[in-house]
């Protein structure tokens, strides 16, 4: 059967190969099919046949059948025969293999039994695995619960450990507090005790704990022991401050500041003891510093050089003062009353160290009071700066400084209340005002405000005293006795020199400050001097001498102001204007004295216009005497003028300037006379008597060369 099927297959494949060479016509093949009618043909429907044929045309077997034109019934019978043969072959083969099949059946049955047992076993495993899964879930829940409990216990343990650590009192701490010396370890132990005391006081939960009942009495005992012990320790250290020749700053920095935590501990846990320590320190330092400043002031007083007394005023007659009242200072220092001189150097030495009294006393040197004032305040600033910084670091309170320095401030106030009323040195007072200002700047740069109010008070006390002394000088000028001051001498008056030096000194001290109040006072002083100078000048009987006196004094004042510096300002301009006006007056007076007729003629007649037809025209007879008189004695007159100027004016340069101005003015007058003579009828006859302008110019240049 198999062979038939294979033959049929090979045949079909060959036919298919042949058919592939020709065009396959499905319609032609189908058209040749003849269907035999049978009884059931009426029940068969050919609907959809065409579609099925289209679908089957790709099938090789169907295509082969259709291409050969085989009838379907025959082909079907052939196929059925083949299938029947194959079936018979299969049955025969099955019978042949029956023993093997039985054996296979037995094996399959045994496998089923084994698989059944496996199924039973796996079912048991599944049940056990299910129970294990539930156990794992239970264990997982227990693990989470235990983890949470562990976490809570750790938190509780950490808090409890901190609580125990904060509240427990170690034996070592007790030993250090009770028996230990106050040193670095003691400071660290105090810090631990402070933390425990704060912990007990601050935490509300601790106050309700039973542990506190056991620990609190011990902590209180330790607190009391610690406060009492550090109190005794600090009192001992403070007592060292009272020892003579103790360097307070070194003791504060090297010893006391090491134990500043003691003060913090007492401030927090022993306020009564802290108050006692604070009071002990303030009282000790108050007395020590007061004693130091009092001793320093007493030493400085031995070095003081008195400059001025109540009678040392600008308008007071020096001849009315007894010589015995001048025994306080040597005569070489008398100029310092009104002249600043080298005293201004104190402002350049503002930050120099304070004077050391015993060294200065050993050299037998005396100092104006402003030098002692600067030295005393330099010591005050340095001491106050050091103490202010220490009080801030040690106590943390600024008020401690002011309590300490209430004593030194009182000593200083007492000293100034004695010195200022007896001071009549206006320049010294002004120097102290400037020194105080510089000290304020120094403290400002240091950023230490502790002396602000004190220095303001000093400044406020100095200004009224300066104003009072300044007013005394003004009153001395206004109320001066002109008769007692007057001297029959045209040279600069000593009162005017005093004024010039005094004004120049104040101008120098006001350069960098521009104090309007001082400017107003100097303006008042200038007016008083002007009035007195005019009064003194009027005591001279001759107007020429009055003018010479004024010129000499104005020139001296201007010279002194210029020597002091270029800052004379309005005051210098004021006196320069007066000098210029009086110089012009003197030149006219000098020329009138020697060439009066010539000047009178030039001023009255030479200016007349000859062409205007005046009633009395100028004639040769009127001019001739003037020309001949001038020609005969002009050189001698100039020499006399030169001698007069040289004897009248103390300042050679000023005198020569005046002489040159007089000669120049004489040349102008004589030039006008010459011009007038040329316009007169017959005036040419006098040409032989005229002095040439070049000759006069030569004389002027001769005196200018001496100048």
């Amino acid at each position: 059967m198999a062979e038939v099927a294979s033959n049929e297959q090979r045949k079909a494949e060959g036919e298919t190969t042949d058919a592939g060479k020709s065009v396959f016509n499905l319609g032609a093949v189908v058209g040749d099919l003849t269907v035999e009618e049978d009884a059931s043909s009426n029940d068969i429907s050919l609907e959809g046949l065409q579609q099925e044929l289209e679908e089957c045309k790709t099938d090789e077997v169907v295509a082969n059948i259709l291409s050969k034109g085989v009838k379907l019934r025959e082909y079907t019978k052939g196929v059925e025969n083949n299938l029947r043969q194959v079936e018979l072959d299969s049955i025969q083969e099955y019978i042949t293999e029956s023993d093997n099949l039985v054996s296979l059946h037995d094996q399959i049955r045994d496998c089923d039994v084994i698989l059944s047992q496996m199924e039973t076993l796996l079912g048991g495993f599944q049940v056990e695995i299910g129970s294990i899964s539930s156990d794992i879930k239970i264990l997982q829940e227990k693990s989470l619960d235990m983890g949470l409990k562990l976490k809570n216990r750790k938190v509780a343990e950490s808090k409890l450990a901190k609580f125990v650590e904060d509240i427990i009192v170690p034996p070592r701490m007790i030993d250090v507090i009770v028996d230990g010396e106050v040193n670095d370890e003691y400071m660290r132990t105090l810090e631990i005790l402070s933390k425990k005391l704060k912990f007990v006081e601050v935490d509300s939960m601790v106050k309700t704990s039973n542990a506190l009942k056991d620990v609190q009495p011990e902590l209180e005992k330790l607190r009391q022991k610690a406060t009492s012990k550090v109190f005794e320790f600090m009192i001992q250290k403070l007592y060292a401050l009272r020892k003579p020749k103790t360097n307070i700053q070194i003791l504060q920095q090297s010893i006391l500041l090491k134990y500043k935590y003691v003060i913090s501990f007492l401030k927090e846990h022993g306020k009564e003891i802290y108050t006692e320590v604070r009071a002990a320190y303030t009282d000790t330092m108050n007395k020590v510093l007061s004693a130091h400043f009092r001793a320093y002031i007493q030493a400085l007083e031995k070095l003081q050089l008195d400059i001025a007394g109540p009678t040392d005023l600008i308008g007071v007659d020096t001849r009315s003062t007894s010589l015995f009242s001048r025994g306080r200072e040597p005569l070489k220092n008398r100029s310092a009353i009104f002249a600043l001189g080298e005293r201004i150097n104190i402002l350049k030495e503002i930050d120099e160290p304070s004077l050391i009294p015993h060294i200065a006393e050993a050299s037998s040197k005396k100092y104006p009071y402003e030098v002692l004032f600067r030295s005393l305040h330099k010591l005050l600033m340095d001491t106050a700066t050091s103490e202010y910084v220490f009080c801030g670091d040690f106590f943390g309170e600024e008020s401690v400084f002011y309590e300490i320095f209430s004593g030194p401030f009182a000593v200083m106030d007492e000293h100034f209340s004695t010195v200022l009323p007896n001071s009549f040195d206006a320049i010294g007072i002004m120097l102290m005002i400037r020194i105080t200002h510089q000290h304020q700047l120094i403290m400002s740069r240091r950023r230490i405000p502790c002396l602000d109010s004190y220095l303001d008070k000093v400044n406020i006390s100095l200004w009224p005293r300066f104003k009072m002394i300044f007013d005394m000088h003004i009153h001395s000028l206004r109320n001066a006795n002109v008769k007692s001051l007057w001297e029959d001498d045209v040279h600069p008056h000593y009162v005017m020199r005093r004024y010039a030096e005094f004004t120049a000194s104040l101008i120098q001290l006001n350069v960098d400050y521009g104090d309007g109040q001082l400017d107003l006072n100097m303006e008042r002083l200038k007016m008083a001097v002007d009035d007195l100078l005019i009064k003194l000048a009027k005591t001279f009987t001759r107007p020429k001498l009055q003018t010479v006196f004024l010129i000499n004094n104005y020139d001296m004042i201007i010279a002194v102001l210029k020597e002091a510096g270029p800052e004379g300002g309005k005051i210098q301009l004021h006196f320069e204007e007066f000098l210029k006006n009086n110089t012009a007056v003197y030149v006219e007076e000098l020329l009138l004295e020697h060439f009066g007729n010539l000047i009178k003629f030039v001023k009255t007649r030479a200016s007349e216009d000859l062409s205007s037809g005046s009633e009395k025209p100028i004639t040769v007879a009127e001019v001739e005497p003037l020309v001949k008189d001038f020609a005969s004695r002009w050189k001698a007159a100039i020499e006399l003028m030169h001698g007069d100027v040289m004897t009248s004016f103390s300042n050679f340069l000023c005198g020569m300037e005046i002489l040159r101005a007089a000669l120049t003015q004489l040349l102008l007058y004589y030039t006008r006379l010459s011009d007038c003579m040329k316009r007169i009828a017959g005036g040419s006859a006098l040409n032989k008597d005229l002095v040439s302008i070049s000759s006069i110019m030569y004389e002027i240049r001769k005196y200018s060369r001496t100048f």
Side-chain angles (χ1 to χ4, degrees), residues 287-325:
K287 292 178 179 177
V288 169
L289 293 179
S290 297
H292 283 182
F293 277 99
R294 188 174 287 108
Y296 190 72
I297 288 171
Q298 291 173 355
L300 289 181
E301 287 175 349
K302 298 177 182 179
L303 306 175
Q304 182 174 349
L305 174 65
D306 291 332
I307 299 295
T311 59
D312 291 317
L313 302 172
I314 296 175
V316 174
D317 183 11
T318 55
R319 294 170 298 184
S320 64
T321 305
S322 173
L323 292 176
F324 296 102
S325 65

Side-chain angles (χ1 to χ4, degrees), residues 20 44 64-65 78 100 150 233 271 325-326 396 454 457 479 486-487 544 564 594 640 663 685:
I44 298 173
N64 191 21
I65 294 171
N100 293 335
L150 177 62
F233 175 80
K271 292 185 178 179
S325 65
R326 296 298 172 199
Y454 170 78
K457 184 172 69 173
N479 302 325
W486 183 75
E487 298 174 344
K544 178 184 175 184
H594 295 280
L640 290 174
L663 295 178

Side-chain angles (χ1 to χ4, degrees), residues 532-546:
L532 178 61
L533 189 57
I534 295 300
K535 291 178 183 178
L536 289 172
K538 287 182 179 179
T539 56
F540 290 95
T541 56
R542 294 172 56 195
K544 178 184 175 184
L545 294 179
Q546 295 178 7

